[in-house]
Amino acid sequence: MSIIIVGVGNADFAAMEFLDGDSRTLRSHTGEEAARDIVQFVPFREFRNAAKETLAKAVLAELPQQVVQYFKHKNLPPTNSEPA
């Protein structure tokens, strides 16, 4: 599972930035480390005047790495398939 959060408005999104986990490893209330980073947070206000594609790129930026981390965590190697 990957969670993508887009913050809309001028609220304080510090809690969402914390969940993003880009700068540190997240821990549970018992101190257990998160197995992988599954959250991508993007504040919409930073893209208000940008092209739609710029927002989409930022929102989806971490998704490929999250998929790779998941497969590694589950010890699932990629399969070699020939194009159809």
Side-chain angles (χ1 to χ4, degrees):
M1 175 189 314
S2 292
I3 301 169
I4 298 172
I5 304 168
V6 178
V8 179
N10 292 319
D12 178 7
F13 293 118
M16 299 299 113
E17 295 283 357
F18 176 80
L19 285 176
D20 196 344
D22 285 344
S23 60
R24 71 207 155 292
T25 301
L26 290 178
R27 296 183 180 278
S28 72
H29 68 282
T30 61
E32 183 180 0
E33 283 189 8
R36 58 190 187 88
D37 178 18
I38 62 167
V39 177
Q40 170 69 353
F41 171 73
V42 177
F44 179 76
R45 65 179 166 243
E46 292 181 9
F47 299 89
R48 197 174 293 161
N49 298 317
K52 292 182 285 188
E53 295 82 9
T54 307
L55 174 61
K57 184 177 179 181
V59 167
L60 300 173
E62 292 182 13
L63 194 55
Q65 185 59 33
Q66 290 175 359
V67 171
V68 169
Q69 288 174 350
Y70 172 79
F71 277 82
K72 284 183 177 180
H73 180 72
K74 295 292 184 179
N75 292 319
L76 297 170
T79 59
N80 292 330
S81 61
E82 294 184 30

Coordinates of all heavy atoms in Angstrom, one line a residue:
M1 N 0.8 -1.2 0.0 CA 0.0 0.0 0.0 C 0.9 1.2 0.0 O 1.9 1.3 0.7 CB -0.9 0.0 1.3 CG -1.7 1.3 1.3 SD -2.6 1.6 2.9 CE -3.4 0.1 3.2
S2 N 0.5 2.2 -0.8 CA 1.1 3.5 -0.8 C 0.1 4.5 -0.5 O -1.0 4.4 -1.1 CB 1.8 3.8 -2.1 OG 2.9 3.0 -2.3
I3 N 0.4 5.5 0.3 CA -0.6 6.6 0.6 C -0.1 7.9 0.1 O 1.1 8.3 0.3 CB -0.7 6.7 2.2 CG1 -1.2 5.3 2.7 CG2 -1.7 7.8 2.5 CD1 -1.2 5.2 4.2
I4 N -0.9 8.5 -0.7 CA -0.6 9.8 -1.3 C -1.5 10.8 -0.7 O -2.7 10.7 -0.8 CB -0.7 9.8 -2.8 CG1 0.3 8.8 -3.4 CG2 -0.5 11.2 -3.4 CD1 0.1 8.5 -4.9
I5 N -1.0 11.9 -0.1 CA -1.7 12.9 0.5 C -1.4 14.2 -0.1 O -0.2 14.6 -0.2 CB -1.4 13.0 2.1 CG1 -1.6 11.7 2.7 CG2 -2.2 14.1 2.7 CD1 -1.1 11.6 4.2
V6 N -2.4 14.9 -0.6 CA -2.3 16.3 -1.1 C -2.9 17.2 -0.1 O -4.1 17.2 0.1 CB -2.9 16.4 -2.5 CG1 -2.8 17.8 -3.0 CG2 -2.3 15.4 -3.5
G7 N -2.1 18.1 0.4 CA -2.6 19.1 1.4 C -3.2 20.3 0.7 O -2.5 20.9 -0.1
V8 N -4.5 20.6 0.9 CA -5.2 21.7 0.3 C -5.5 22.7 1.3 O -6.0 22.5 2.4 CB -6.5 21.2 -0.4 CG1 -7.2 22.3 -1.1 CG2 -6.2 20.1 -1.4
G9 N -5.1 24.0 1.0 CA -5.4 25.1 1.8 C -4.1 25.6 2.5 O -3.0 25.2 2.2
N10 N -4.3 26.5 3.5 CA -3.2 27.1 4.1 C -3.0 26.6 5.5 O -2.3 27.2 6.4 CB -3.4 28.6 4.2 CG -3.4 29.2 2.8 OD1 -2.5 28.9 2.0 ND2 -4.3 30.2 2.5
A11 N -3.5 25.4 5.9 CA -3.3 24.8 7.2 C -1.9 24.5 7.4 O -1.0 24.4 6.5 CB -4.2 23.6 7.3
D12 N -1.6 24.2 8.7 CA -0.3 23.7 9.1 C -0.2 22.2 8.8 O -0.9 21.4 9.5 CB 0.0 24.0 10.6 CG 1.3 23.5 11.1 OD1 2.1 23.0 10.3 OD2 1.5 23.5 12.3
F13 N 0.6 21.8 7.9 CA 0.7 20.4 7.5 C 1.9 19.7 8.1 O 2.4 18.7 7.6 CB 0.7 20.3 6.0 CG -0.5 20.7 5.3 CD1 -0.5 21.8 4.4 CD2 -1.7 20.1 5.5 CE1 -1.7 22.2 3.8 CE2 -2.9 20.5 4.9 CZ -2.8 21.5 4.0
A14 N 2.3 20.2 9.3 CA 3.5 19.6 9.9 C 3.3 18.1 10.2 O 4.2 17.3 10.0 CB 3.8 20.3 11.2
A15 N 2.1 17.7 10.6 CA 1.9 16.3 10.8 C 2.0 15.4 9.6 O 2.4 14.3 9.6 CB 0.5 16.1 11.5
M16 N 1.5 16.0 8.5 CA 1.6 15.3 7.2 C 3.1 15.1 6.7 O 3.5 14.1 6.2 CB 0.8 16.0 6.1 CG -0.7 16.1 6.4 SD -1.5 14.5 6.5 CE -1.9 14.5 8.3
E17 N 3.8 16.2 6.9 CA 5.2 16.2 6.6 C 5.9 15.1 7.4 O 6.8 14.4 7.0 CB 5.9 17.6 6.8 CG 5.4 18.7 5.9 CD 6.0 18.6 4.5 OE1 6.8 17.7 4.3 OE2 5.6 19.4 3.7
F18 N 5.5 15.0 8.7 CA 6.1 14.0 9.6 C 5.8 12.6 9.1 O 6.7 11.7 9.0 CB 5.5 14.2 11.0 CG 6.0 13.1 12.0 CD1 7.2 13.2 12.6 CD2 5.2 12.0 12.3 CE1 7.6 12.2 13.5 CE2 5.6 11.0 13.1 CZ 6.8 11.1 13.7
L19 N 4.6 12.3 8.6 CA 4.2 11.0 8.1 C 4.9 10.7 6.8 O 5.1 9.5 6.6 CB 2.7 11.0 7.8 CG 1.8 10.9 9.0 CD1 0.3 11.0 8.6 CD2 2.0 9.6 9.8
D20 N 5.3 11.7 6.1 CA 6.0 11.4 4.8 C 7.3 10.6 5.0 O 7.7 9.8 4.2 CB 6.3 12.8 4.1 CG 6.6 12.6 2.6 OD1 7.0 11.5 2.2 OD2 6.6 13.6 1.9
G21 N 8.0 10.9 6.1 CA 9.1 10.1 6.4 C 10.3 10.2 5.5 O 11.2 9.3 5.5
D22 N 10.4 11.2 4.7 CA 11.6 11.4 3.8 C 12.9 11.7 4.5 O 13.9 11.2 4.1 CB 11.3 12.5 2.8 CG 10.3 12.1 1.7 OD1 10.1 10.9 1.6 OD2 9.8 13.0 1.1
S23 N 12.8 12.3 5.7 CA 14.1 12.7 6.3 C 14.4 11.9 7.5 O 15.5 12.0 8.1 CB 14.0 14.2 6.8 OG 12.9 14.3 7.7
R24 N 13.5 10.9 7.9 CA 13.8 10.0 9.0 C 13.0 8.8 8.9 O 12.0 8.7 8.2 CB 13.6 10.7 10.3 CG 12.1 10.9 10.6 CD 11.8 12.1 11.5 NE 10.5 12.7 11.3 CZ 10.0 13.3 10.2 NH1 10.8 13.5 9.2 NH2 8.8 13.8 10.2
T25 N 13.3 7.8 9.7 CA 12.6 6.6 9.8 C 11.4 6.7 10.7 O 11.6 7.2 11.9 CB 13.4 5.4 10.2 OG1 14.5 5.2 9.3 CG2 12.7 4.1 10.3
L26 N 10.2 6.4 10.3 CA 9.1 6.5 11.2 C 9.1 5.4 12.2 O 9.6 4.3 12.0 CB 7.8 6.5 10.4 CG 7.4 7.6 9.5 CD1 6.1 7.4 8.8 CD2 7.3 8.9 10.4
R27 N 8.6 5.7 13.4 CA 8.5 4.7 14.5 C 7.1 4.7 15.1 O 6.4 5.7 15.1 CB 9.5 5.0 15.6 CG 10.9 4.9 15.2 CD 11.9 5.2 16.3 NE 13.3 5.1 15.9 CZ 13.9 4.0 15.7 NH1 13.4 2.8 16.0 NH2 15.2 4.0 15.3
S28 N 6.7 3.5 15.5 CA 5.4 3.4 16.2 C 5.5 4.0 17.6 O 6.6 4.3 18.1 CB 4.9 2.0 16.3 OG 5.7 1.3 17.2
H29 N 4.4 4.1 18.3 CA 4.4 4.6 19.7 C 5.2 3.7 20.6 O 5.6 4.1 21.7 CB 2.9 4.8 20.2 CG 2.2 3.5 20.4 ND1 1.6 2.8 19.4 CD2 1.9 2.8 21.5 CE1 1.0 1.7 19.8 NE2 1.2 1.7 21.1
T30 N 5.5 2.4 20.2 CA 6.3 1.5 21.0 C 7.7 1.6 20.6 O 8.6 0.9 21.1 CB 5.8 0.1 20.9 OG1 5.9 -0.3 19.5 CG2 4.3 -0.1 21.4
G31 N 8.1 2.4 19.5 CA 9.4 2.5 19.1 C 9.8 1.6 17.9 O 11.0 1.7 17.5
E32 N 8.9 0.8 17.4 CA 9.2 -0.1 16.3 C 9.3 0.7 15.0 O 8.5 1.6 14.7 CB 8.1 -1.1 16.2 CG 8.3 -2.1 15.1 CD 7.2 -3.1 15.0 OE1 6.2 -3.0 15.8 OE2 7.2 -4.0 14.1
E33 N 10.4 0.4 14.3 CA 10.6 1.1 13.0 C 9.7 0.6 11.9 O 9.3 -0.5 11.9 CB 12.1 0.8 12.5 CG 13.1 1.6 13.2 CD 14.5 1.5 12.6 OE1 14.6 0.9 11.5 OE2 15.5 2.0 13.2
A34 N 9.2 1.6 11.1 CA 8.4 1.3 10.0 C 9.3 0.5 9.0 O 10.5 0.7 8.8 CB 7.9 2.5 9.3
A35 N 8.7 -0.5 8.4 CA 9.4 -1.4 7.4 C 9.8 -0.6 6.2 O 10.9 -0.9 5.6 CB 8.5 -2.6 7.0
R36 N 9.0 0.3 5.8 CA 9.3 1.1 4.6 C 8.5 2.4 4.6 O 7.5 2.5 5.3 CB 9.1 0.3 3.3 CG 7.7 -0.2 3.1 CD 7.5 -1.2 2.0 NE 6.1 -1.5 1.8 CZ 5.3 -0.9 1.0 NH1 5.7 0.2 0.3 NH2 4.1 -1.2 0.9
D37 N 8.9 3.3 3.8 CA 8.2 4.6 3.6 C 7.0 4.4 2.6 O 7.3 4.1 1.5 CB 9.1 5.7 3.1 CG 8.5 7.0 2.8 OD1 7.4 7.3 3.4 OD2 9.1 7.9 2.1
I38 N 5.8 4.6 3.1 CA 4.6 4.4 2.2 C 3.8 5.6 2.0 O 2.8 5.6 1.3 CB 3.7 3.3 2.8 CG1 3.1 3.7 4.1 CG2 4.4 1.9 2.9 CD1 2.0 2.8 4.6
V39 N 4.3 6.8 2.6 CA 3.5 8.0 2.4 C 4.2 9.0 1.6 O 5.4 9.2 1.8 CB 3.2 8.6 3.8 CG1 2.5 9.9 3.7 CG2 2.4 7.6 4.7
Q40 N 3.5 9.7 0.7 CA 4.0 10.8 -0.1 C 3.1 12.0 0.2 O 1.9 11.9 -0.1 CB 4.0 10.5 -1.6 CG 4.3 11.6 -2.5 CD 5.7 12.1 -2.4 OE1 6.5 11.7 -1.5 NE2 6.1 13.1 -3.2
F41 N 3.6 13.0 0.8 CA 2.8 14.2 1.0 C 3.3 15.4 0.1 O 4.5 15.6 0.0 CB 2.9 14.6 2.5 CG 2.2 16.0 2.7 CD1 0.9 16.1 2.7 CD2 3.0 17.1 2.9 CE1 0.3 17.3 2.9 CE2 2.4 18.4 3.1 CZ 1.0 18.5 3.1
V42 N 2.3 16.0 -0.5 CA 2.6 17.2 -1.3 C 1.6 18.3 -0.9 O 0.4 18.1 -1.0 CB 2.5 16.9 -2.8 CG1 2.7 18.1 -3.7 CG2 3.5 15.8 -3.2
P43 N 2.1 19.5 -0.5 CA 1.2 20.6 -0.3 C 0.8 21.3 -1.6 O 1.7 21.7 -2.3 CB 2.0 21.6 0.6 CG 3.5 21.2 0.3 CD 3.5 19.8 -0.1
F44 N -0.4 21.3 -1.9 CA -1.0 21.8 -3.1 C -0.5 23.3 -3.3 O -0.3 23.7 -4.4 CB -2.5 21.7 -3.2 CG -3.1 22.3 -4.4 CD1 -3.0 21.6 -5.6 CD2 -3.7 23.5 -4.4 CE1 -3.6 22.1 -6.8 CE2 -4.3 24.1 -5.6 CZ -4.2 23.3 -6.8
R45 N -0.5 24.1 -2.2 CA -0.2 25.5 -2.4 C 1.2 25.8 -3.0 O 1.4 26.8 -3.6 CB -0.2 26.2 -1.0 CG 0.8 25.7 0.0 CD 0.7 26.5 1.3 NE 1.5 25.8 2.4 CZ 1.0 25.3 3.4 NH1 -0.3 25.3 3.7 NH2 1.7 24.7 4.3
E46 N 2.1 24.8 -3.0 CA 3.4 25.0 -3.7 C 3.3 24.8 -5.2 O 4.2 25.1 -5.9 CB 4.4 24.0 -3.1 CG 4.8 24.3 -1.7 CD 5.8 23.3 -1.1 OE1 6.4 22.5 -1.9 OE2 6.1 23.3 0.1
F47 N 2.1 24.3 -5.6 CA 1.9 24.0 -7.1 C 0.7 24.8 -7.6 O 0.3 24.6 -8.7 CB 1.7 22.5 -7.3 CG 2.9 21.7 -6.9 CD1 3.0 21.3 -5.6 CD2 3.9 21.5 -7.7 CE1 4.1 20.5 -5.2 CE2 5.0 20.7 -7.3 CZ 5.1 20.3 -6.0
R48 N 0.2 25.7 -6.8 CA -0.9 26.5 -7.2 C -0.8 27.1 -8.6 O -1.8 27.1 -9.4 CB -1.2 27.6 -6.1 CG -2.6 28.2 -6.2 CD -2.8 29.1 -5.0 NE -2.8 28.3 -3.8 CZ -2.6 28.8 -2.6 NH1 -2.4 30.1 -2.4 NH2 -2.6 28.0 -1.5
N49 N 0.3 27.7 -8.9 CA 0.5 28.4 -10.1 C 1.3 27.6 -11.2 O 1.7 28.1 -12.2 CB 1.2 29.8 -9.9 CG 0.3 30.6 -9.0 OD1 -0.9 30.7 -9.2 ND2 0.9 31.3 -8.0
A50 N 1.6 26.3 -10.9 CA 2.4 25.5 -11.7 C 1.5 24.7 -12.7 O 0.3 24.6 -12.5 CB 3.2 24.5 -10.9
A51 N 2.1 24.2 -13.7 CA 1.3 23.3 -14.6 C 0.8 22.1 -13.9 O 1.5 21.6 -13.0 CB 2.2 22.9 -15.8
K52 N -0.3 21.5 -14.3 CA -0.9 20.3 -13.7 C 0.2 19.2 -13.7 O 0.2 18.4 -12.8 CB -2.1 19.9 -14.5 CG -3.3 20.8 -14.3 CD -4.5 20.2 -15.0 CE -4.3 20.4 -16.5 NZ -5.5 20.1 -17.3
E53 N 0.9 19.1 -14.8 CA 1.9 18.0 -14.9 C 3.0 18.1 -13.7 O 3.5 17.1 -13.3 CB 2.6 18.0 -16.2 CG 1.7 17.8 -17.4 CD 0.9 19.0 -17.8 OE1 1.2 20.1 -17.4 OE2 0.0 18.8 -18.7
T54 N 3.3 19.3 -13.3 CA 4.3 19.5 -12.2 C 3.7 18.9 -10.9 O 4.5 18.2 -10.2 CB 4.6 21.0 -12.1 OG1 5.0 21.5 -13.3 CG2 5.7 21.2 -11.1
L55 N 2.5 19.1 -10.6 CA 1.9 18.6 -9.4 C 1.8 17.1 -9.5 O 2.2 16.3 -8.6 CB 0.5 19.1 -9.2 CG -0.3 18.5 -8.1 CD1 0.3 18.7 -6.7 CD2 -1.8 19.1 -8.1
A56 N 1.4 16.5 -10.7 CA 1.3 15.1 -10.9 C 2.7 14.4 -10.7 O 2.8 13.4 -10.0 CB 0.8 14.8 -12.2
K57 N 3.7 15.1 -11.2 CA 5.1 14.5 -11.1 C 5.5 14.5 -9.6 O 6.1 13.5 -9.2 CB 6.1 15.4 -11.9 CG 7.5 14.8 -11.9 CD 8.4 15.7 -12.8 CE 9.8 15.1 -12.8 NZ 10.7 15.9 -13.6
A58 N 5.2 15.5 -8.9 CA 5.6 15.5 -7.4 C 4.8 14.5 -6.6 O 5.3 13.9 -5.8 CB 5.3 17.0 -6.9
V59 N 3.5 14.4 -6.9 CA 2.6 13.5 -6.2 C 3.1 12.0 -6.4 O 3.1 11.2 -5.5 CB 1.2 13.6 -6.7 CG1 0.3 12.5 -6.2 CG2 0.6 15.0 -6.1
L60 N 3.5 11.7 -7.7 CA 3.8 10.3 -8.0 C 5.3 10.0 -7.9 O 5.8 8.9 -8.2 CB 3.3 10.0 -9.4 CG 1.8 10.1 -9.6 CD1 1.4 9.9 -11.0 CD2 1.1 9.1 -8.7
A61 N 6.1 11.0 -7.5 CA 7.6 10.8 -7.5 C 8.1 9.6 -6.7 O 9.0 9.0 -7.2 CB 8.2 12.1 -6.9
E62 N 7.6 9.3 -5.6 CA 8.1 8.2 -4.8 C 7.4 6.9 -5.0 O 7.9 5.9 -4.5 CB 7.9 8.6 -3.3 CG 8.8 9.8 -2.9 CD 8.7 10.1 -1.4 OE1 8.1 9.3 -0.6 OE2 9.2 11.1 -1.0
L63 N 6.4 6.9 -5.8 CA 5.7 5.6 -6.0 C 6.5 4.5 -6.6 O 6.5 3.4 -6.1 CB 4.4 5.9 -6.9 CG 3.4 4.8 -6.9 CD1 2.9 4.4 -5.5 CD2 2.2 5.2 -7.8
P64 N 7.3 4.7 -7.6 CA 8.1 3.6 -8.1 C 9.1 3.0 -7.1 O 9.2 1.8 -7.0 CB 8.9 4.2 -9.3 CG 8.1 5.4 -9.7 CD 7.5 5.9 -8.5
Q65 N 9.7 3.9 -6.3 CA 10.6 3.4 -5.2 C 9.8 2.6 -4.2 O 10.3 1.6 -3.6 CB 11.4 4.5 -4.6 CG 12.5 4.0 -3.6 CD 13.5 3.0 -4.2 OE1 13.8 3.1 -5.4 NE2 13.9 2.1 -3.4
Q66 N 8.6 3.1 -3.8 CA 7.8 2.4 -2.9 C 7.4 1.0 -3.4 O 7.4 0.0 -2.6 CB 6.5 3.2 -2.5 CG 6.8 4.4 -1.8 CD 5.6 5.3 -1.6 OE1 4.5 5.0 -2.0 NE2 5.8 6.4 -0.9
V67 N 7.1 0.8 -4.6 CA 6.8 -0.5 -5.2 C 8.1 -1.4 -5.1 O 8.0 -2.6 -4.7 CB 6.3 -0.4 -6.7 CG1 6.2 -1.8 -7.3 CG2 5.0 0.3 -6.7
V68 N 9.2 -0.9 -5.5 CA 10.5 -1.7 -5.4 C 10.7 -2.1 -3.9 O 11.1 -3.3 -3.7 CB 11.7 -0.9 -5.9 CG1 13.0 -1.5 -5.6 CG2 11.5 -0.6 -7.4
Q69 N 10.6 -1.2 -3.0 CA 10.8 -1.5 -1.6 C 9.8 -2.6 -1.1 O 10.2 -3.5 -0.4 CB 10.6 -0.3 -0.7 CG 11.7 0.7 -0.8 CD 11.4 2.0 0.0 OE1 10.3 2.2 0.5 NE2 12.3 2.9 0.1
Y70 N 8.6 -2.6 -1.6 CA 7.6 -3.6 -1.2 C 8.0 -5.0 -1.7 O 8.0 -5.9 -1.0 CB 6.2 -3.2 -1.8 CG 5.2 -4.4 -1.6 CD1 4.6 -4.6 -0.4 CD2 4.9 -5.2 -2.6 CE1 3.7 -5.6 -0.2 CE2 4.0 -6.3 -2.5 CZ 3.4 -6.5 -1.2 OH 2.6 -7.5 -1.1
F71 N 8.4 -5.0 -3.0 CA 8.8 -6.3 -3.6 C 10.1 -6.9 -2.9 O 10.2 -8.1 -2.6 CB 9.0 -6.2 -5.1 CG 7.8 -6.3 -5.8 CD1 6.9 -5.3 -6.0 CD2 7.4 -7.6 -6.4 CE1 5.7 -5.4 -6.7 CE2 6.2 -7.7 -7.1 CZ 5.3 -6.6 -7.2
K72 N 11.0 -6.0 -2.5 CA 12.2 -6.4 -1.8 C 11.9 -6.9 -0.4 O 12.4 -7.9 0.1 CB 13.2 -5.3 -1.7 CG 14.0 -5.0 -3.0 CD 15.0 -3.9 -2.8 CE 15.8 -3.8 -4.1 NZ 16.8 -2.7 -4.0
H73 N 11.0 -6.2 0.3 CA 10.5 -6.6 1.6 C 9.9 -7.9 1.6 O 10.0 -8.7 2.6 CB 9.6 -5.5 2.2 CG 9.1 -5.8 3.5 ND1 9.9 -5.6 4.6 CD2 7.9 -6.1 4.0 CE1 9.2 -5.9 5.7 NE2 8.0 -6.3 5.4
K74 N 9.1 -8.3 0.6 CA 8.4 -9.5 0.5 C 9.3 -10.6 -0.2 O 8.8 -11.7 -0.5 CB 7.1 -9.3 -0.3 CG 6.1 -8.5 0.4 CD 5.6 -9.2 1.6 CE 4.5 -8.4 2.3 NZ 4.0 -9.0 3.5
N75 N 10.5 -10.3 -0.6 CA 11.4 -11.2 -1.3 C 10.8 -11.7 -2.6 O 10.8 -12.9 -2.9 CB 11.9 -12.4 -0.4 CG 12.8 -11.9 0.7 OD1 13.7 -11.1 0.5 ND2 12.6 -12.4 1.9
L76 N 10.2 -10.8 -3.3 CA 9.6 -11.1 -4.6 C 10.4 -10.6 -5.7 O 10.5 -9.4 -6.0 CB 8.2 -10.5 -4.7 CG 7.1 -11.0 -3.7 CD1 5.9 -10.1 -3.7 CD2 6.8 -12.5 -3.9
P77 N 11.2 -11.5 -6.4 CA 12.0 -11.0 -7.5 C 11.2 -10.6 -8.7 O 10.1 -11.2 -8.9 CB 12.9 -12.2 -7.8 CG 12.1 -13.4 -7.4 CD 11.2 -12.9 -6.2
P78 N 11.7 -9.7 -9.6 CA 11.0 -9.4 -10.8 C 10.9 -10.6 -11.7 O 11.9 -11.4 -11.7 CB 11.8 -8.3 -11.4 CG 13.1 -8.3 -10.7 CD 12.9 -9.0 -9.4
T79 N 9.9 -10.7 -12.5 CA 9.8 -11.8 -13.5 C 10.2 -11.2 -14.8 O 10.0 -10.1 -15.2 CB 8.4 -12.3 -13.6 OG1 7.5 -11.3 -13.9 CG2 7.9 -13.0 -12.3
N80 N 10.9 -12.1 -15.6 CA 11.3 -11.7 -16.9 C 10.2 -12.1 -17.9 O 10.0 -13.3 -18.1 CB 12.6 -12.4 -17.3 CG 13.8 -11.9 -16.5 OD1 13.8 -10.7 -16.1 ND2 14.8 -12.7 -16.2
S81 N 9.5 -11.2 -18.4 CA 8.4 -11.5 -19.4 C 8.7 -10.8 -20.7 O 9.2 -9.6 -20.7 CB 7.1 -11.1 -18.8 OG 7.0 -9.7 -18.6
E82 N 8.4 -11.4 -21.7 CA 8.6 -10.8 -23.0 C 7.4 -9.9 -23.4 O 6.3 -10.2 -23.0 CB 8.8 -11.9 -24.1 CG 10.0 -12.8 -23.9 CD 10.2 -13.8 -25.0 OE1 9.8 -13.5 -26.1 OE2 10.8 -14.8 -24.7
P83 N 7.7 -8.8 -24.1 CA 6.6 -7.9 -24.5 C 5.6 -8.7 -25.4 O 6.0 -9.5 -26.1 CB 7.3 -6.8 -25.2 CG 8.7 -7.0 -25.1 CD 9.0 -8.3 -24.5
A84 N 4.3 -8.3 -25.2 CA 3.3 -9.0 -26.0 C 3.3 -8.6 -27.5 O 3.8 -7.6 -27.9 CB 1.9 -8.6 -25.4

